[in-house]
Amino acid sequence: MLAMVLSFFDQFMSPTYMGVPLMALALVLPWILYPTPSSRWLDNRLITLQSWGIFQFTRQIFMPINPEGHKWALMLTSLMVFLLSLNMLGLLPYTFTPTTQLSLNMGIAVVLWLATVLIGLRNQPTHALGHLLPEGTPTPLIPILIIIETISLFIRPLALGVRLTANLTAGHLLIQLIATAAFVLGPLMPVVSLLTMILLFLLTLLEVAVAMIQAYVFVLLISLYLQENV
């Protein structure tokens, strides 16, 4: 039983080849798959669709943000494409999903969250510190609310990283469990195995949606933190 549980979690181990970690290769590979726009007036359909999707995403994310925050457009759009690519490639068989590693997600979340906080403290320190104490707070509750708001501020990057890791990990485990059940039930109960395979197909479609939504939510929350501090 213990060996089976360990085998389920083997897919989340960082792959190595001759003792060399392949995490860097897994992070670089998605960028190779995207076509590079040319200097021609007319591009092919794939590049046109890619440019249209990036434009729509950037406009939707940065519409409520002040022009001062538009400097982050390139970074957040690239992050969205990067996370979306990693999440989608991780659904392919015999692949590794780097975004199931909490260390990677926390590294991205903490750096970007800290950058938004530092920008707020540099540009408008009074407004940034004002978030720690809501207006009209009774005097006896001031110390308690400052502590609560400070804790909630520092929990933000943890919530970002854990949300992305937990959703992808849970989805991959469910897919592996149902696929194992369908394989085992095949010789014993073919009808039940067929129903399980249908469920597996539907779950895979759900995981495709989760992979896209989680990448979008991660970048959206970073943009909301940026909006508070710009």
Side-chain angles (χ1 to χ4, degrees):
M1 182 66 180
L2 180 60
M4 181 179 295
V5 173
L6 290 177
S7 65
F8 283 149
F9 285 91
D10 283 347
Q11 60 178 318
F12 305 116
M13 296 176 61
S14 181
T16 58
Y17 180 72
M18 297 180 65
V20 178
L22 298 180
M23 173 70 85
L25 180 61
L27 296 178
V28 173
L29 182 61
W31 297 114
I32 305 175
L33 303 178
Y34 284 91
T36 304
S38 64
S39 57
R40 299 175 180 176
W41 285 9
L42 293 178
D43 290 320
N44 57 37
R45 291 182 177 87
L46 181 59
I47 294 180
T48 303
L49 180 62
Q50 173 183 296
S51 302
W52 177 83
I54 291 176
F55 172 76
Q56 292 296 328
F57 168 77
T58 307
R59 186 178 68 173
Q60 184 175 1
I61 287 291
F62 287 91
M63 189 179 296
I65 300 179
N66 294 334
E68 182 68 22
H70 291 179
K71 300 174 183 177
W72 285 56
L74 179 61
M75 182 188 301
L76 293 188
T77 304
S78 301
L79 178 63
M80 169 66 183
V81 174
F82 181 62
L83 293 178
L84 179 61
S85 304
L86 292 179
N87 295 349
M88 298 293 287
L89 289 175
L91 294 174
L92 298 175
Y94 302 105
T95 56
F96 170 68
T97 313
T99 44
T100 56
Q101 304 296 309
L102 184 60
S103 56
L104 174 66
N105 298 334
M106 287 299 298
I108 298 174
V110 170
V111 170
L112 294 177
W113 166 81
L114 186 59
T116 60
V117 172
L118 293 179
I119 286 176
L121 292 175
R122 186 191 66 178
N123 295 340
Q124 40 187 5
T126 304
H127 180 72
L129 294 175
H131 289 299
L132 301 179
L133 186 62
E135 187 176 355
T137 304
T139 304
L141 296 178
I142 288 178
I144 299 176
L145 278 180
I146 290 178
I147 295 174
I148 293 175
E149 291 295 330
T150 303
I151 293 175
S152 67
L153 178 66
F154 282 95
I155 283 178
R156 285 180 173 182
L158 180 63
L160 273 178
V162 170
R163 179 188 296 108
L164 182 59
T165 304
N167 280 283
L168 296 179
T169 302
H172 283 64
L173 281 176
L174 271 176
I175 288 177
Q176 186 168 2
L177 285 170
I178 295 178
T180 304
F183 179 76
V184 171
L185 292 173
L188 304 176
M189 292 178 284
V191 177
V192 178
S193 176
L194 180 61
L195 294 176
T196 308
M197 291 178 64
I198 295 174
L199 178 61
L200 177 62
F201 175 73
L202 296 176
L203 180 62
T204 303
L205 295 181
L206 177 63
E207 281 306 306
V208 171
V210 168
M212 294 188 289
I213 291 171
Q214 288 303 317
Y216 176 77
V217 168
F218 190 94
V219 177
L220 177 63
L221 291 176
I222 292 292
S223 70
L224 292 178
Y225 302 156
L226 177 64
Q227 184 180 352
E228 288 182 1
N229 293 284
V230 172

